[in-house]
Amino acid sequence: MAEVGLKLAFSVAQIAVVMGIVLLTVMFLTLAERKVLGWMQDRMGPMEVGPYGVLQPIADGLKLFFKEDIVPAGANKFLFTLAPILALVPALIGFAVVPFGPNRTVELFGYQFQPFVISDINIGILYILAFTSIGAYGIILGGWASNSKYSLLGGLRSAAQVISYELNVGLAIVGVLLLAGSLSLVKITEAQAGGFWHWYIFAFPFPQVFAFVVYVISAVAETNRVPFDLPEAESELVAGFFTEYSGMRFAFFFLAEYANMILVSCIAAALFLGGWNAPYPGTLLPENLAWVEGVVWFAVKVYFFLFLFFWLRATLPRLRYDQLMRFGWKVMLPIALGNILVTAIAAYFFPKG
Amino acid sequence: MHSLLETLKTRFPEAVLSVKEDTERGELSLRVAAPCLLEVATFLHDDPSAAFDHITDICSADYPDDTERFEVIYHFLSLPHRTRIRIKARVTEDDPTIASVTGIWKGANFLEREVYDLMGIRFSGHPDLRRILMPEDYDEGHPLRKDFPTEGRGWRSRFEFIPRLDEPAAEGLDEDISEEQRKVFVSESGPSSHRTEELLLNMGPQHPATHGVLRVVLELDGERIVKATPDMGYLHRGVEKLAEGLAYMQIIPHTDRLDYICSMSNNYAYVRAVEKLLKLEIPERAEYIRTIVAEMQRIVGHLFWLGTQALDIGAMTVFFWTFREREVLLDLFEKLCGARLTLNYFRIGGVDSDFTPDLVQRLTAFLEAFPGHIKEYEELLQTNRIWVGRTKNVAVISAEDAINFGLTGPVLRASGVAYDVRKLEPYGAYGKVEWEVPVGKNGDTYDRYWVRMEEMRQSSRIIAQCLAQMPEGPIVADAPQIVPPPKVKVMRDMESLIHHFILFTHGFKPPKAETYCATEAPKGELGFFIISDGSPRPYRMKIRSPSFVHMGAFDHMARGYLISDIITIFGTYDIVMGECDR
């Protein structure tokens, strides 16, 4: 009994820490995005709240919290309330299997714990894919339940887009799975140890560069970010599926979008860029502090991806719906399939170990 | 007499009531009997010796004392022969009906609707004769008639949705929604899943991308547009009606508010029309200054267009970059005349203030850096495959259609028609400098984008040459009956004060005449048609605004494209509702 209690307490603590870090990152991502965009566009970004505007996210959060929560007349109240939750929860739940640092076990009161991953389940990546699919329901239902044509069109676009691009995400990572021989994110990351030439993006026998490109593009599409932000295309559909949302419900969609960005960045880092592994063999810091180095490398990779999201937003115009579909099915899908074929052949001729 | 008028007179001895050639202003006009209008119009359009393929404008005038009270006035332009003609036809108050020319010029559709709306003249054979600027259920009459008061008839106070402070607030908004309305997305005909129906989407008047208060009702098949119906008039202020009660110089600030993005272009178009009416000569330095500021305004207008169009398509950065350059020019305007947006800089007979050496130096510095900035925008857009994919082969309009719809400016030139008022009828200093008219090929959004980018380059070329050539001299004409004395003298000198007082209280009296004057504004041909009855106020002033005429081709260009393309079409017209609705 004591064992179960202790495990539970430790897990809860772990979840609290991870959620805290993720939500804090989301908060400051909003600021970082505005600042980065501002610099790229020859302006300052937020400057008013706190020194250099660093307290802006707090002001934004407070504002959203105190805003009137409007449910449009004629909306389906139950689904309208459910949708933002359905969008946010899957985005956060995915972090349960992401390894943030080296795979090691710590003994605490005589029991074994893994401090850097909440749960190392052996179907890790499958679990994430399954839950992010549920996130799409949040968008579709939100668009449908609002009883607004703009929302409906946004929801429909989103449904088509998420289905098309989730397929590509799924197929892009198959190559990595073939090489690693595991679905566990911890095992996949461990298999990439020993220098950047072991990372799956460069790895022998078949570098997953194509898969990586497909994954990154599809991930941008899945998170509804520029240039694939059609479901919320501001200039066309006002705000797309969340046109009718306000206050905290709107904030939930907003949080979900940013949490999803972090999640896909984490997966990209873990699958293709070696996760917590440094680009050089071994570690620089002494053995007992090696975990710090691992965590830092993981963070650097994740933040690089997040920066990429901002960069794209500052650079690219939006695709049109038919172009998006054509690109997804006629360009990305064949590349992903070809990559699987070649990787499978390569993995057959050069078996692991 | 002009050979064309001779031909018309001999061919239609009964239809043509009188012809007039105004040699001083270079205008041909023709009075025809209303029942024969269509006959003459068909001849004018089809006959190769006339070939009036481009419809410029349709307007109307009201003469309450005449037996045939209303006059419908048509302006046509022949692009092959480079001639303009004005056709006038009178109708009576009892039967204000005239044949519609929409069958000949498609662009007549919106123009005739405007005449119907504001003057109450019916056009038989018009496919869709509804009010266009006033609300569709407006029942107080037709505002441009002389017996309609300028302040209106109090219709506004009858709007139900304007809250009345003396009544208790409406309660239970939630219950007002009927069960049917709650289920808009639920199919009525039961379980059948094969029922198809177009989705009606109301876009605007409050929408982030409609460039002002424009409403478009879209009939959609999925995301594809089956029919697009523009609904305009949300910004209708009745400038034409107001102008009838104002002295000529008092109208200038009103023209600022037409196309408020580049207000000087409107000032220019208006003062040119008045000067043409007065037959007033402008000093050379003033001509150069006018040309320079008009081209600066063109750059401002095109920068604004580029930024907003890019923003509509999702490229955010371009917007901030173009506004950065626009800011430099606005600072120069502020230096020049104290205002940044509604500049009110032109005067009848010249301009308000002279260039200072500091201004010239700052403008030169801007011109040196500007081509580099254009390159920056092009690097972000032209080399971007998404941008090219979003603009190429979108909203294509052929040269014939574009002319038939009466399109002008970059929209027409992108379809391959090299019509530019600055070249066709050079004014200002345009005849004295070297520049080219960029012409597109395919008439798609990309070509319109390209034409405008090139125009910015040409504009900076024109400005640079004008700055180099600009002579010294006065900046207002020496015409004491029209031009007030300088302010410095007014403050110190009794006679000048009296002169000033007389001019500003009485206004000046132009001759009894009428004239149409076209100017190339950034959006297209901006024309002012003024009928003067010899009094200090225009009897009738008609503004031919390019945005309004362009909206007439909207449905034609939007059909078959996607919702996302609608946005690019708004952008590609570069419409400004202030000018469209007037």
Side-chain angles (χ1 to χ4, degrees), chain A residues 40-43 73-74 147-150 152-153 157 227 234-236 238 314 316-320 322-323, chain B residues 177 184 200-203 207-209 223 312-314 317 320-321 324 384 389-390 394 562-565 567:
Chain A
M40 287 185 178
Q41 292 163 351
D42 252 8
R43 56 194 177 89
N147 191 21
S148 152
K149 287 172 184 174
Y150 287 116
L152 181 71
L153 282 169
R157 280 181 174 189
E234 184 191 319
S235 54
E236 298 154 24
V238 187
L316 293 178
R318 184 180 307 118
L319 281 165
R320 202 171 57 205
D322 57 328
Q323 294 167 338
Chain B
I177 286 145
V184 258
L200 210 62
L201 184 73
N202 175 48
M203 204 175 222
H207 186 279
E223 290 223 0
D312 286 346
I313 297 185
T317 304
F320 289 99
W321 285 8
R324 183 183 62 193
N384 188 322
R390 282 298 302 273
V394 168
L562 300 173
I563 300 185
S564 320
D565 296 325
I567 305 305

Side-chain angles (χ1 to χ4, degrees), chain A residues 142-318:
Chain A
W144 186 81
S146 301
N147 191 21
S148 152
K149 287 172 184 174
Y150 287 116
S151 304
L152 181 71
L153 282 169
L156 285 176
R157 280 181 174 189
S158 170
Q161 181 175 329
V162 169
I163 288 170
S164 313
Y165 280 83
E166 220 164 48
L167 192 69
N168 294 334
V169 168
L171 290 176
I173 58 180
V174 168
V176 172
L177 302 184
L178 281 172
L179 293 180
S182 169
L183 286 169
S184 156
L185 280 171
V186 176
K187 294 230 168 57
I188 293 172
T189 314
E190 270 185 332
Q192 301 177 65
F196 69 87
W197 54 92
H198 287 285
W199 295 356
Y200 280 132
I201 180 172
F202 305 119
F204 181 81
F206 186 68
Q208 297 296 308
V209 178
F210 295 106
F212 177 69
V213 173
V214 170
Y215 177 82
V216 171
I217 294 175
S218 306
V220 176
E222 234 199 311
T223 46
N224 296 331
R225 298 279 305 179
V226 174
F228 303 100
D229 62 338
L230 288 95
E232 50 191 86
E234 184 191 319
S235 54
E236 298 154 24
L237 301 180
V238 187
F241 60 89
F242 56 68
T243 305
E244 304 293 341
Y245 281 90
S246 65
M248 274 321 272
R249 286 189 195 145
F250 167 76
F252 269 33
F253 275 123
F254 204 71
L255 281 177
E257 182 180 320
Y258 281 85
N260 262 325
M261 272 164 65
I262 303 174
L263 185 62
V264 295
S265 304
C266 288
I267 299 169
L271 290 184
F272 294 100
L273 296 186
W276 68 77
N277 293 304
Y280 39 82
T283 51
L284 294 178
L285 292 171
E287 183 70 18
N288 56 344
L289 281 174
W291 63 272
V292 177
E293 208 177 327
V295 171
V296 167
W297 273 114
F298 186 76
V300 165
K301 289 164 190 171
V302 169
Y303 283 113
F304 164 73
F305 276 105
L306 292 173
F307 176 75
L308 191 72
F309 278 107
F310 305 153
W311 193 3
L312 287 176
R313 184 163 173 206
T315 315
L316 293 178
R318 184 180 307 118

Side-chain angles (χ1 to χ4, degrees), chain B residues 328-445:
Chain B
V328 177
L329 284 176
L330 291 191
D331 285 343
L332 291 181
F333 288 129
E334 193 179 355
K335 191 92 185 156
L336 182 63
C337 61
R340 290 164 66 85
L341 198 68
T342 49
L343 301 152
N344 192 17
Y345 174 65
F346 283 59
R347 296 288 177 271
I348 294 163
V351 290
D352 173 56
S353 51
D354 204 350
F355 275 22
T356 57
D358 170 52
L359 188 84
V360 173
Q361 189 216 326
R362 279 164 72 179
L363 185 56
T364 320
F366 172 80
L367 289 177
E368 267 162 29
F370 190 55
H373 291 308
I374 300 181
K375 269 227 169 64
E376 277 180 14
Y377 314 142
E378 282 180 345
E379 267 164 28
L380 267 179
L381 298 173
Q382 224 146 297
T383 53
N384 188 322
R385 286 179 65 181
I386 300 179
W387 174 266
V388 174
R390 282 298 302 273
T391 52
K392 275 233 161 113
N393 296 319
V394 168
V396 182
I397 188 159
S398 68
E400 294 95 65
D401 278 337
I403 294 170
N404 203 261
F405 271 108
L407 307 187
T408 47
V411 185
L412 179 65
R413 290 195 281 276
S415 296
V417 184
Y419 168 55
D420 190 317
V421 184
R422 293 173 292 172
K423 278 279 186 217
L424 191 81
E425 302 160 344
Y427 54 89
Y430 291 113
K432 298 168 192 157
V433 291
E434 271 179 39
W435 61 284
E436 283 138 36
V437 180
V439 175
K441 283 195 203 83
N442 309 316
D444 55 9
T445 302

Side-chain angles (χ1 to χ4, degrees), chain B residues 211 259 261-262 297-313 315 318-319 322-323 326 374 377-378 381-382 387 391 410-411 414 444-456 522-523 567-576:
Chain B
H211 292 232
D259 172 4
I261 310 296
C262 10
Q297 287 276 293
R298 193 179 312 277
I299 293 177
V300 167
H302 284 356
L303 284 176
F304 196 95
W305 154 81
L306 179 65
T308 47
Q309 167 134 49
L311 192 66
D312 286 346
I313 297 185
V318 184
F319 176 76
T322 60
F323 269 53
R326 179 175 176 263
I374 300 181
Y377 314 142
E378 282 180 345
L381 298 173
Q382 224 146 297
W387 174 266
T391 52
V411 185
D444 55 9
T445 302
Y446 182 83
D447 277 21
R448 287 184 282 268
Y449 153 80
W450 180 85
V451 164
R452 288 198 176 97
M453 295 301 270
E454 282 306 306
E455 277 189 8
M456 286 202 274
K523 270 80 184 168
I567 305 305
T568 68
I569 301 175
F570 286 137
T572 199
Y573 280 154
D574 194 10
I575 52 166
V576 171

Side-chain angles (χ1 to χ4, degrees), chain B residues 247-260:
Chain B
Y248 282 95
M249 61 181 72
Q250 291 175 318
I251 298 170
I252 302 175
H254 284 269
T255 64
D256 273 337
R257 276 109 185 131
L258 292 173
D259 172 4
Y260 39 78

